[in-house]
Amino acid sequence: MRLEPIANPSVLRRLGLPASALLATIAVASGLAAVAGADPLATLGLIVKGAAGSRFAALETLNRATPLIFTGLAVAVAFRARLWNIGAEAQLYAGAIMAVLLGTGALPGAVALPAMALAAMVAGALVLLGPVLLKTRFGVDEVVTTLLFNFIMLLFVSYLLEGPLKDPMGMGWPKSAALAKEARLPRIVDGLRLHWGFGLALIAALTVWVIERRTAFGYEMRAVGLNPRAARFAGVPVNAVLVKTALLSGGLAALAGFSEVAGLKGHLTLDLSPGFGYTGIVVAMLALLNPLAVVPAALFVAGVFVGADSMSRAAGVPTYIADMLLASSLLFMVLAILLVRFRVVRG
Amino acid sequence: MIVAPVLRLCGITKRFGSLVANDAISLSLNRGEVVALLGENGAGKTTLMNILFGHYVADAGTVEVMGQPLPPGHPRAALAAGVGMVHQHFTLADNLTVLDNILLGTRPLWRPGLRKAVARARVQALSQDFGLSVHPDARVGTLSVGERQRVEILKALYRDARILILDEPTAVLTPQETEALFRTLRLAVGRGLSIIFISHKLHEVMGVADRAVVLRHGRVVGEVATADTDRHALAALMVGEEVVPPKVAPPTPGPVLLRLDDVTTAQAGTATGLRRVTLDLRAGTITGLAGVSGNGQAALSDLVSGVIRPQAGRLHIAGAPVTHWTPREAVGAGIARIPEDRHSTGTIADFTLTENAILEGYRSRFAKGGWMNWRAARAFAEGIIRTYDVRCPGPDTRIRLLSGGNMQKLILGRVLEPGPRIILANQPVRGLDIGAITYVHSRLLQARDAGAAVLLISEDLDEIMALSDSIHVISEGRLSPGFARGTMTQQQLGLWMAGHGFADAA
């Protein structure tokens, strides 16, 4: 079997194939639910209901999507320049640490949040600076360095929470002191549990899109990602572009940490992120690295997680079904998108 | 006696969107015959062969091999029917041996034991019979281009090909290797194989083919026995008009615009560096660099392009010594750079024509305060498409969809539009058809007459001798003195190319 490119895919192909990917995902999920001994359709219904069935559920999904938009953007930007940043998790925690450092201190109310966000971005950028310099100077593979940085950072956070940042009033739990009131991100609508981190995430997505499509830096970034050799020959400063891309990517991932601490949790713990950095890779791939598409991709992924949580409580099917759902949806979607542009020819 | 053709293409039509790549093409091939398929880039040769080989499905028409119709869209069916194709870009695995490459795909993966001894004997017999000498245990990555091509042909023969399709096989070969290939083809024909030979080098077609089928804009415009025609008539058929060799007016040399002063460059891997090279490029002249491939042309080209810096010695531009030297500095100094490899160095395949057109000038001319001016960029690309006759659906097309000639025209436009003072043209017409070659040459001559200093690097001695006002020969990184137009014969230059005459000859 071979793939033959299709010059102008039909509308049916463009819409039908992603739709079938969704159906295939649903089929897999139903099968799994049946294996777990539950009614497949009811299980799926519960997931959808848990993700978007009520105002509370929908807001929960938006909240969960917020850090995923940031990490998804971080990964999408880096991958665009073919910088394989697997370390969004570490950059996220770097941002969270800065938020706690500045947010529990005595910064005046008006500057507290901007200062925290800025410091978080700088810290996240610096975390990725090391691996990218190792790559541009010595050719060290950034997949390895950024991945390993995640573990270093987690251990570092653990040290901080047992030592210098430990909450003296925390009854011995490894958690930081709570943020000052002015250092908390306000809610978008009073009384509803959705904070401005989500708004910031939408702004970030739009900003990244503008950078990619409208600025010289974005053009350089895409050129370096598609063909570094031709880019270098034409006079694009490839290494400088990679470093700048890394700074942007690290900064975006760190905003996830800032937004989780300042918007949702109010303090730093070791389980601040249930792998948002890694899930960001799934989000970015589902979005085909398009910064605007990162938003719906993150909403989808968050919806699956939130919906599965709620379904699990109601139907007794393990939440692992969420991971299976995501994994199969990613596989089916990647396949569908490939098949939009190529047809399979036998022989 | 009437013999049924071994291959018959009947009324093949293939459309890509609004473009008709093949328009009711019919073609037949007899046993033991070599048919040349001629045509400019974009005439539809490659599409036709891809249909024959099942890579594309034709919109209309049939393919018959040995009288049996081939099911469309099944490369394996073509293979099984005895059709073998040697692509222009080889399809070999570098890290496997010659034998493994030949066996690859011939047997199911799960069958234990490849019975390599039998296979090796057969490969050796084939290479003996067809004059395709290559060691079966050599790693393909270590082979020369000519040897790799032999492996491709062996691969087809090993699969019992009765019909061989060669897509521009000589584009990558030295004259000696080309001769060897032609010997192989004659041996093959003697054994009853039939060959389709795609090319646009007319003297080769005249030399090796029995019949030539000429395509233009997707149609068959002529079919002639090579015995009844000549190069001029074929060329006229191909481009639709008589080809005139470039008329070169006497040069009006100006000041030295680029000087290499005793420059040595580092040896990069196996690539030869420059050894104490001194060279002046004068305004209003074309300086030709002749030499056998791999003797330092790449280093000289990279140096002038700004990709590498001198290890010793100096570069002077318009009399001023150069201190900081990068590709961006080179562009800034008014050097137009036409790179050797337009696919991987000259363009970004998945960028649009617009995006490729501004690759060198995006910072200086198409961005302000970091913001891109896409409207200006698009207008620039549209201007190039018009002025340089780039055949394409439009400036938003990805450049990978263009033929090599049209790609080269876009590169020409990109580098010539700003009005460069110095032009580096490294193999500017390699792989192009006659129409495009004539076009590129005329543009270079125009630029010379407008006062640019042109450095032309080519492995084609005819091209060098036709265009250059002064010729240098490069050998093992050393540069010969300059020879004025008409003062040297091919043979004399050949001696220099072989390394004779240099002061420090070893």
Side-chain angles (χ1 to χ4, degrees):
Chain A
M1 290 203 299
R2 288 174 315 99
L3 295 174
E4 181 176 295
I6 301 170
N8 298 307
S10 64
V11 180
L12 184 72
R13 230 183 154 81
R14 283 169 192 276
L15 299 180
L17 278 165
S20 356
L22 208 59
L23 288 178
T25 307
I26 289 171
V28 167
S30 312
L32 289 169
V35 167
D39 173 6
L41 277 183
T43 308
L44 285 171
L46 282 170
I47 291 180
V48 173
K49 205 171 145 214
S54 64
R55 191 147 78 170
F56 175 81
L59 290 176
E60 192 56 32
T61 299
L62 293 183
N63 264 337
R64 186 75 75 94
T66 301
L68 291 177
I69 295 176
F70 285 120
T71 55
L73 286 173
V75 172
V77 157
F79 281 19
R80 182 65 87 195
R82 265 200 230 163
L83 177 71
W84 307 117
N85 175 16
I86 312 296
E89 192 80 0
Q91 295 136 29
L92 178 152
Y93 273 109
I97 292 171
M98 295 315 285
V100 167
L101 278 179
L102 297 183
T104 50
L107 279 178
V111 297
L113 278 169
M116 284 157 68
L118 204 67
M121 288 189 75
V122 170
L126 289 179
V127 167
L128 193 48
L129 186 63
V132 78
L133 287 180
L134 283 172
K135 174 191 169 79
T136 54
R137 293 283 163 84
F138 305 113
V140 180
D141 189 341
E142 75 275 21
V143 172
V144 176
T145 49
T146 55
L147 180 67
L148 292 183
F149 241 107
N150 291 339
F151 301 101
I152 296 174
M153 186 55 82
L154 213 56
L155 292 168
F156 181 61
V157 170
S158 172
Y159 153 77
L160 288 178
L161 294 182
E162 294 289 355
L165 283 187
K166 188 165 185 169
D167 181 7
M169 324 291 271
M171 321 240 273
W173 290 100
K175 70 186 202 62
S176 74
L179 293 192
K181 206 168 180 187
E182 343 27 289
R184 297 293 303 265
L185 278 166
R187 304 210 160 157
I188 293 180
V189 180
D190 263 343
L192 293 181
R193 216 177 88 96
L194 181 65
H195 59 85
W196 265 106
F198 182 71
L200 193 60
L202 294 185
I203 294 169
L206 195 65
T207 309
V208 170
W209 183 81
V210 169
I211 289 174
E212 277 194 11
R213 308 309 309 190
R214 293 275 176 268
T215 69
F217 167 51
Y219 172 79
E220 291 174 325
M221 206 163 89
R222 291 186 291 125
V224 168
L226 287 172
N227 185 343
R229 186 188 158 91
R232 182 170 285 127
F233 179 82
V236 177
V238 173
N239 285 344
V241 169
L242 283 175
V243 170
K244 280 197 259 179
T245 306
L247 296 179
L248 178 61
S249 172
L252 285 165
L255 281 180
F258 158 74
S259 139
E260 285 296 280
V261 167
L264 209 60
K265 301 284 171 59
H267 53 76
L268 175 59
T269 56
L270 252 187
D271 59 359
L272 178 76
S273 160
F276 287 136
Y278 301 103
T279 313
I281 299 172
V282 177
V283 170
M285 298 302 280
L286 270 177
L288 298 177
L289 309 187
N290 177 337
L292 291 184
V294 159
V295 174
L299 286 174
F300 171 72
V301 172
V304 169
F305 275 128
V306 171
D309 268 350
S310 137
M311 177 277 303
S312 165
R313 284 191 295 274
V317 176
T319 53
Y320 292 119
I321 201 171
D323 297 309
M324 296 291 296
L325 250 173
L326 278 187
S328 50
S329 74
L330 181 61
L331 288 176
F332 286 130
M333 204 51 96
V334 167
L335 188 66
I337 284 155
L338 180 82
L339 290 180
V340 169
R341 295 206 298 155
F342 296 90
R343 76 166 60 88
V344 178
V345 181
R346 291 203 332 156
Chain B
M1 184 179 76
I2 294 170
V3 187
V6 291
L7 172 74
R8 201 206 312 255
L9 300 174
C10 234
I12 300 282
T13 298
K14 175 77 183 173
R15 290 181 203 90
F16 294 105
S18 60
L19 177 86
V20 184
N22 285 170
D23 189 357
I25 293 180
S26 296
L27 177 105
S28 66
L29 177 68
N30 296 319
R31 191 180 133 92
E33 189 186 30
V34 179
V35 167
L37 196 56
L38 271 168
E40 294 198 88
N41 283 321
K45 298 166 296 193
T46 306
T47 306
L48 186 67
M49 289 307 110
N50 277 328
I51 288 169
L52 161 58
F53 212 64
H55 288 183
Y56 291 148
V57 178
D59 299 323
T62 55
V63 179
E64 274 176 29
V65 178
M66 318 284 171
Q68 300 293 313
L70 274 191
H74 290 71
R76 193 152 295 176
L79 269 175
V83 184
M85 180 139 182
V86 176
H87 290 273
Q88 202 175 350
H89 302 282
F90 302 144
T91 53
L92 298 171
D94 276 359
N95 49 357
L96 293 183
T97 65
V98 169
L99 188 61
D100 288 337
N101 263 291
I102 292 171
L103 294 185
L104 203 63
T106 57
R107 296 167 198 214
L109 275 175
W110 52 84
R111 189 166 300 162
L114 281 169
R115 279 180 244 133
K116 278 207 185 169
V118 182
R120 168 174 321 197
R122 188 145 170 250
V123 168
Q124 271 165 345
L126 284 172
S127 60
Q128 193 118 54
D129 290 351
F130 289 91
L132 294 162
S133 71
V134 54
H135 197 285
D137 295 320
R139 222 169 262 277
V140 163
T142 65
L143 299 183
S144 73
V145 177
E147 287 172 311
R148 284 176 206 217
Q149 189 175 64
R150 278 177 237 156
V151 178
E152 286 278 10
I153 297 174
L154 273 176
K155 214 164 97 178
L157 293 174
Y158 186 84
R159 292 166 195 217
D160 295 319
R162 303 301 300 159
I163 299 167
L164 268 184
I165 301 167
L166 302 154
D167 189 2
E168 310 222 356
T170 61
V172 291
L173 301 183
T174 66
Q176 290 78 3
E177 286 173 323
T178 303
E179 255 323 299
L181 171 69
F182 287 172
R183 276 197 298 276
T184 297
L185 296 188
R186 282 183 207 111
L187 282 169
V189 167
R191 286 164 179 269
L193 270 75
S194 310
I195 292 165
I196 293 183
F197 182 87
I198 302 175
S199 178
H200 41 238
K201 292 190 184 168
L202 294 173
H203 62 276
E204 292 175 356
V205 169
M206 294 300 295
V208 78
D210 303 308
R211 217 155 34 97
V213 173
V214 184
L215 295 188
R216 193 164 77 227
H217 300 312
R219 291 208 187 114
V220 176
V221 292
E223 192 174 339
V224 282
T226 48
D228 304 337
T229 186
D230 61 30
R231 279 165 67 167
H232 291 287
L234 278 182
L237 264 181
M238 256 169 82
V239 294
E241 60 199 84
E242 192 76 37
V243 184
V244 199
K247 285 210 178 61
V248 184
T252 45
V256 173
L257 294 183
L258 179 74
R259 165 169 292 162
L260 274 68
D261 185 11
D262 203 13
V263 170
T264 297
T265 64
Q267 185 110 359
T270 55
T272 314
L274 298 180
R275 282 159 60 189
R276 307 197 58 176
V277 165
T278 296
L279 172 69
D280 282 348
L281 299 183
R282 284 186 180 279
T285 61
I286 294 183
T287 305
L289 187 74
V292 178
S293 173
N295 271 281
Q297 290 97 326
L300 182 58
S301 167
D302 282 352
L303 179 71
V304 177
S305 300
V307 175
I308 60 170
R309 298 186 186 101
Q311 196 175 42
R314 262 270 151 94
L315 220 60
H316 299 262
I317 289 179
V322 163
T323 45
H324 191 224
W325 196 233
T326 63
R328 193 172 275 187
E329 309 282 333
V331 172
I335 301 182
R337 304 156 318 141
I338 302 168
E340 179 177 8
D341 186 337
R342 52 188 161 266
H343 295 275
S344 77
T345 315
T347 57
I348 294 179
D350 282 316
F351 262 11
T352 64
L353 266 71
T354 301
E355 288 167 326
N356 272 297
I358 61 166
L359 208 46
E360 289 182 346
Y362 68 97
R363 277 271 175 201
S364 52
R365 287 181 289 146
F366 302 101
K368 208 169 185 183
W371 293 91
M372 294 301 293
N373 183 348
W374 284 115
R375 189 175 302 203
R378 213 184 127 98
F380 179 64
E382 280 169 345
I384 292 175
I385 290 169
R386 257 197 320 276
T387 318
Y388 292 81
D389 188 29
V390 183
R391 308 245 172 93
C392 65
D396 301 324
T397 315
R398 283 183 306 148
I399 204 162
R400 72 155 67 243
L401 299 172
L402 266 56
S403 68
N406 285 313
M407 228 180 244
Q408 192 72 320
K409 284 179 183 173
L410 186 92
I411 294 176
L412 265 185
R414 172 173 87 200
V415 301
L416 294 185
E417 269 312 281
R421 312 202 54 204
I422 302 161
I423 297 169
L424 164 74
N426 191 357
Q427 308 277 6
V429 299
R430 180 191 271 177
L432 301 190
D433 56 65
I434 292 181
I437 290 174
T438 313
Y439 187 83
V440 171
H441 284 165
S442 73
R443 282 285 176 178
L444 290 178
L445 284 168
Q446 257 176 42
R448 177 199 81 158
D449 294 340
V454 182
L455 175 60
L456 172 68
I457 302 179
S458 175
E459 282 149 29
D460 181 347
L461 212 45
D462 289 335
E463 182 188 10
I464 292 277
M465 294 180 75
L467 290 180
S468 311
D469 301 305
S470 156
I471 299 174
H472 290 266
V473 179
I474 194 165
S475 171
E476 291 172 31
R478 301 160 306 180
L479 199 71
S480 77
F483 308 114
R485 176 188 292 279
T487 57
M488 294 290 271
T489 62
Q490 289 231 6
Q491 283 67 30
Q492 286 168 311
L493 288 174
L495 286 176
W496 281 91
M497 284 162 73
H500 301 290
F502 288 92
D504 61 342

